[in-house]
Amino acid sequence: MTTLVRDSMHLNTADNVAVALRALKAGETVDGTTLLTDVPMGHKFAVMPVAKGSPVVKYGQVMATATADIAAGEHVHVQNCAMAEEHSTESEQRGQVHAKPERTTFEGFLRPDGRAGTRNYIGILASVNCSSTVCGAIAAEANRVLKPKYPGVDGFAPIVHDQGCGMAGSGEGFDTLVRTLKGYRDHPNFAGVLIVGLGCEVNQLTLYKRDDWTRERFQTFNIQEVGGSASAVRRAVELLEPIAEAANRDVRETLPVSLLTLGMQCGGSDGFSGISANPALGVASDMLVAAGGTSILSETPEIFGAEHLLIARADPETGAKIEAMIDWWRAYADRNGASLDNNPSPGNKRGGLTTILEKSLGAVAKGGLSPLSGAYAYAERIDRPGFVYMDSPGYDPVAATGQVASGANIIAFTTGRGSCFGAKPAPSVKLASNGALFRSMPEDMDINCGTILEEGASLEEVGRQIYDFLLDTASGKKTRSEEFGYGDNEFVPWKIGAVL
């Protein structure tokens, strides 16, 4: 049994709620407030009366509107709160440049284009859903036959999906798919690539030629041209052997942290995510940026209501891009009969999150305090260092797929409920927001950020732990998700537009 150093957290002097760090019972007096109701762990209680129609404030920002009078000591959640019609729009915070950390190198694979690989996979990419099953079979056969012969290869990763045909051959949806697949084709964690099509699809292989790669590193073919599915597997193994021979010669060398690009994700969030794992990852992000690296924040529907905190740290052009993304998502939700407050999910709410505003305020904490140096479309190649934003849905596999396509060679994924995830070819580090989760799922969690809640560890201490773990992982240390084998089924390109 872990002994807590405190029972609740009051995060900002402007807040009229506090967060319970353990299950609290009616009648208890906690930090000067006598509870009128039970309050589950991770949930909120009022520290002062909140009148009906008044804002509920957390992190010093509006997170909801009270739908009833709330007394001090009462549980604050969906039964007495709703989405606020107006949210905070001003931030006193501006971008802060942090001191360069002591550790500024890792061991990685330097690629001919100057980028760095943290892994040495060979990618088996499907151009269309029709070749996805064959690509899975090719990867399985190559891992069985070729991988034992070439131990320097981390594996053969199938990159398969359900798109590529039944869609317009131009426009936003098609362009997004092509951009995403090209991002994976060119990814530095791939030492070589084989792309397999069927032959008659909209998404033709001719779009993916690479004249700057040798045949030892890059090949393509269509199933219809080689005799069918079984023949395609045999042909693929023949083509993959010289690719594997070349990849097996690749060796790690000492490289600067400036060649690392971190994709930051959160999924299965709870009431602790925004006060432990996310801001601790923000510290690690700031350290990476200070060392010259790049970190990517995404999931636009999950920054809604907190976008002003990012815009305050951006130049006018970048800030305008963020505003345009929010406007696009409002219109997108409207024309599809949805609401941006469809989030949080049922699991998020059980974990203590009440509205998307509250979730967003915690989610942006992953971005630390560094200036925002750029904003990018989904799967667009990141062309500058620093803290940047990439547009994406809030659905974790889709968002992470876009980040990897943009160049992320490592992923950090925070969770309070226990999301299981991998992201081949990028290793995924899992950060638990609370100790109970870390102890209940040790096979999936890499770092326990719950020490901030249970032991009083500082965000800076845990942030440094995350930063060092990321560099160790980039240098070859396997994560829990890699040990289990996650990553073959998490390539999910954003699907936009009509299915025809």
Side-chain angles (χ1 to χ4, degrees), residues 278-343:
N278 288 355
L281 177 55
V283 171
S285 171
D286 286 339
M287 294 177 70
L288 183 71
V289 168
T294 303
S295 64
I296 310 171
L297 183 68
S298 298
E299 302 178 291
T300 310
E302 295 185 9
I303 67 160
F304 174 66
E307 66 272 12
H308 60 287
L309 301 177
L310 297 175
I311 292 169
R313 295 154 55 185
D315 61 75
E317 180 183 358
T318 300
K321 287 182 178 180
I322 298 291
E323 289 179 337
M325 290 174 187
I326 293 293
D327 290 341
W328 185 94
W329 275 96
R330 285 181 189 270
Y332 183 66
D334 285 346
R335 69 176 177 262
N336 287 283
S339 166
L340 291 181
D341 195 35
N342 281 351
N343 234 317

Side-chain angles (χ1 to χ4, degrees), residues 180 184 265-268 299 302 378 390 392-405 411 413 419-424 487 489-495:
T180 304
Y184 273 70
Q265 290 290 316
C266 57
E299 302 178 291
E302 295 185 9
Y378 181 86
M390 186 205 77
S392 83
Y395 185 40
D396 312 321
V398 178
T401 294
Q403 290 181 334
V404 174
I411 298 286
F413 191 116
S419 296
C420 297
F421 185 77
K424 287 181 182 176
N489 301 299
E490 286 79 10
F491 176 74
V492 188
W494 187 6
K495 188 182 292 186

Side-chain angles (χ1 to χ4, degrees), residues 121 143 156-159 184 190 404 422-427 485-488 491:
Y121 280 106
N143 281 316
F156 296 81
I159 305 300
Y184 273 70
F190 282 140
V404 174
K424 287 181 182 176
Y486 277 108
D488 288 347
F491 176 74

Side-chain angles (χ1 to χ4, degrees), residues 130-217:
C130 306
S131 62
S132 286
T133 296
V134 167
C135 285
I138 291 169
E141 183 68 3
N143 281 316
R144 185 184 71 84
V145 173
L146 297 179
K147 190 175 186 307
K149 296 172 60 176
Y150 303 103
V153 175
D154 286 318
F156 296 81
I159 305 300
V160 299
H161 55 95
D162 66 352
Q163 297 187 55
C165 212
M167 64 191 305
S170 62
E172 192 172 27
F174 185 74
D175 292 345
T176 298
L177 175 63
V178 172
R179 188 167 63 242
T180 304
L181 285 170
K182 284 184 175 179
Y184 273 70
R185 178 199 66 182
D186 301 340
H187 199 278
N189 285 6
F190 282 140
V193 168
L194 170 67
I195 308 180
V196 179
L198 178 61
C200 55
E201 61 270 17
V202 172
N203 189 33
Q204 288 283 302
L205 290 182
T206 51
L207 293 167
Y208 298 96
K209 287 183 178 179
R210 275 202 63 168
D211 296 331
D212 58 326
W213 275 24
T214 67
R215 294 177 65 83
E216 283 189 331
R217 296 283 182 171

Side-chain angles (χ1 to χ4, degrees), residues 13 20 22 38 45 56 90-91 135 165 170 183 201 206 248 329 345 353 367 387 461 474 500:
T13 56
R22 61 173 175 83
D38 292 348
F45 62 91
V56 178
E90 298 296 328
S91 173
C135 285
C165 212
S170 62
E201 61 270 17
T206 51
N248 197 55
W329 275 96
S345 69
L353 293 174
F387 171 53
E461 290 170 336
L500 303 174

